[in-house]
Amino acid sequence: MNALALRAPARVVVRMQRRSLWAGGILVVLGIAFVIGLRIWVASGHENCPDGDTTRCGDGSYLPTYARTATQTYLSGGGTALLALSVLIGVFVAGPLIARELESGTVRFAWAQSVSPARWLAARLALPAVLATAGVTVLVLVYRWGRSGVLGDTPYELSWSRSGVYPALGPVALAYALFAVALGALCAVLVRRTLPAMALTAVVLGTVMYGFGKRRYELWPTTRGLGHNPWPSGNAWPIESGMLTASGKELYWKDCFARGTAGPDCLKDQGGVTSFVDYHQASHFWPLQLMETGILLVLAAAATALAFRVLRRYHA
C-alpha cells in the first residue's frame, strides 16, 4: 500500500470532515496564542530580578507579580489539557470518522468502488495521526517554552513530576495522541455504532491515563536517601518515606497516618533507627518519559493491527 493508493481516500476524508479538522486546527492555534499571551503578560510586569522577584535581588525575600503567579497556575494544567485533547482525538476517530460510516452502511459503497477495507481504514487513520502528531508536537514545544519563562523561585506548581505538568513536557503527549487514534479505530470497528464507540473510547482512554498517572513512578527505579535528613534537595519527586529497623525492615510514614498515630516517635516506637526517602531525581525525567512513551506506542501498534484484523473479518 503506497501513498498514491491512499491519496484519493484521504481527500474524501478531508472533504467529509473539514469542519472537524478546522475545529481541531483552531484549538491548536488557541492553545499557542494562550501560552504566548501569558508570556507577554508576565513580561509586561515590573520585575527586578531574572527569577521574577519584585523586591531587591538577593535579600532573602521573594515576591512575584500577579501575572507570574497566575501564569504558573494556568500552566500547571497544561499536561491535563493535552490529555483531554487526546481524548477528543480518540472520540472523533471512533465516532464521526469511522463508526458513523459503518453504522450507516455507506462504507460498502466505498468498498464497491475498488477501495479495499484496508485502504479505507488506513486513510482514516493516516490523516488524524499526521495532524495529531504535528499539532501535539507544536503544543509541547510551545508549552515547554512558556513554562521555562515562569518557573521563578518557587517552581513547585510547575514541577516536572506533577500529573498536570508531566504529560506536556515530552513525547508522552504525542504517544497518547497516537494511542487515542488507534484505540478510536479499534472501538469503532468493534462496536460499529457511533455513540457507543465514542463512549467506549473515552472510558478506555480515561482508564489508561488514570492508571499511568497513579503508577508512573514504577516505570523506573527510584533513588534512596538515608540518614538524619534524607529528603532530596532540588526538583526531585518523593515517592515513599519512612524508617529502617536494625534488621533492614521498612516502616512507612503513610501507615502511621492511616492509623492516626503520625507523631514524631511513631516509627521509632516500632523499632525504626534510620530514616529513608525513595524518590525520583530530576535526571529520571527522560527515562520515565521514554518508558511510558514506549508502552503507549506498543499499545497503539497492537490496537491498530487488531482494528485491521477485525475489519477484515467483518468485510469477509
Side-chain angles (χ1 to χ4, degrees):
M1 187 182 305
N2 53 42
L4 291 177
L6 290 174
R7 186 173 299 171
R11 286 199 298 266
V12 173
V13 174
V14 172
R15 286 198 299 268
M16 291 176 59
Q17 302 296 334
R18 58 184 178 275
R19 290 183 180 179
S20 298
L21 297 176
W22 272 107
I26 291 172
L27 285 177
V28 172
V29 172
L30 288 176
I32 296 172
F34 182 68
V35 175
I36 294 176
L38 290 176
R39 282 295 299 267
I40 294 174
W41 186 25
V42 172
S44 66
H46 179 68
E47 299 177 339
N48 297 327
C49 311
D51 61 0
D53 195 356
T54 59
T55 62
R56 290 182 60 186
C57 298
D59 63 357
S61 62
Y62 178 75
L63 181 63
T65 62
Y66 173 72
R68 180 174 289 272
T69 56
T71 297
Q72 289 176 341
T73 301
Y74 291 141
L75 292 182
S76 66
T80 303
L82 282 183
L83 292 183
L85 179 61
S86 294
V87 173
L88 291 177
I89 293 171
V91 168
F92 164 72
V93 171
L97 195 60
I98 296 179
R100 180 179 294 172
E101 292 192 55
L102 292 172
E103 183 178 17
S104 65
T106 56
V107 64
R108 296 191 177 278
F109 175 78
W111 293 348
Q113 302 298 314
S114 72
V115 177
S116 68
R119 281 180 56 193
W120 175 84
L121 182 57
R124 278 149 184 79
L125 282 175
L127 183 63
V130 170
L131 295 179
T133 298
V136 171
T137 299
V138 171
L139 288 175
V140 167
L141 294 175
V142 171
Y143 179 81
R144 288 179 65 93
W145 169 76
R147 173 180 174 270
S148 67
V150 292
L151 288 178
D153 194 49
T154 54
Y156 174 72
E157 280 191 308
L158 296 177
S159 173
W160 65 270
S161 61
R162 299 202 68 181
S163 59
V165 175
Y166 177 87
L169 294 178
V172 161
L174 176 58
Y176 273 115
L178 294 177
F179 174 60
V181 171
L183 180 64
L186 177 59
C187 291
V189 298
L190 282 174
V191 179
R192 298 196 298 275
R193 295 178 59 192
T194 304
L195 292 180
M198 295 169 69
L200 180 60
T201 300
V203 169
V204 175
L205 274 174
T207 301
V208 172
M209 291 172 178
Y210 178 80
F212 272 112
K214 286 294 184 181
R215 314 304 294 186
R216 178 173 291 132
Y217 65 90
E218 297 181 352
L219 295 177
W220 195 257
T222 57
T223 300
R224 170 160 291 185
L226 297 171
H228 175 67
N229 185 19
W231 286 91
S233 60
N235 198 13
W237 179 13
I239 305 299
E240 292 282 8
S241 63
M243 297 188 76
L244 300 176
T245 64
S247 63
K249 180 182 178 181
E250 297 173 342
L251 305 174
Y252 296 102
W253 282 112
K254 64 181 181 182
D255 296 330
C256 292
F257 285 103
R259 295 193 301 266
T261 59
D265 297 325
C266 171
L267 298 184
K268 290 182 179 179
D269 292 343
Q270 300 177 57
V273 294
T274 304
S275 298
F276 76 89
V277 175
D278 293 332
Y279 62 94
H280 283 295
Q281 52 202 24
S283 61
H284 290 185
F285 168 76
W286 281 111
L288 288 167
Q289 279 269 333
L290 294 177
M291 287 294 294
E292 187 169 349
T293 298
I295 294 172
L296 288 169
L297 292 180
V298 169
L299 292 176
T304 301
L306 187 57
F308 277 98
R309 183 173 182 179
V310 171
L311 184 66
R312 186 162 55 246
R313 288 188 175 182
Y314 171 67
H315 177 61

